[in-house]
Amino acid sequence: MALNVGQGIRDKMEALQDFPLEDSTFQTNSDGSQVERCWGTRGLYIASNVSGDWETYGPFGGGG
């Protein structure tokens, strides 16, 4: 069974030999841009298209 995680976060996790622990959560900002959040074993990953292109950051906190 595959989890619902965007490709950018999947790629970042794979590069760090990490994997998702849950489905991503998605939010639409007041300007119409979107944010995706997903916990992996190394911490929280965040992707956003607020700059016009999708960019992925993390992991932040948690994890080992």
Side-chain angles (χ1 to χ4, degrees):
M1 177 184 298
L3 294 176
N4 181 20
V5 179
Q7 192 62 51
I9 289 180
R10 281 192 181 277
D11 291 346
K12 180 94 178 214
M13 285 183 176
E14 184 177 311
L16 297 172
Q17 298 179 338
D18 198 358
F19 58 89
L21 297 174
E22 62 182 358
D23 287 331
S24 287
T25 57
F26 297 88
Q27 169 188 334
T28 300
N29 295 319
S30 59
D31 65 357
S33 62
Q34 296 180 310
V35 176
E36 174 188 5
R37 293 177 180 84
C38 185
W39 280 95
T41 63
R42 295 179 182 261
L44 178 65
Y45 294 79
I46 300 173
S48 175
N49 67 350
V50 72
S51 70
D53 294 317
W54 279 96
E55 298 178 26
T56 304
Y57 302 94
F60 301 102

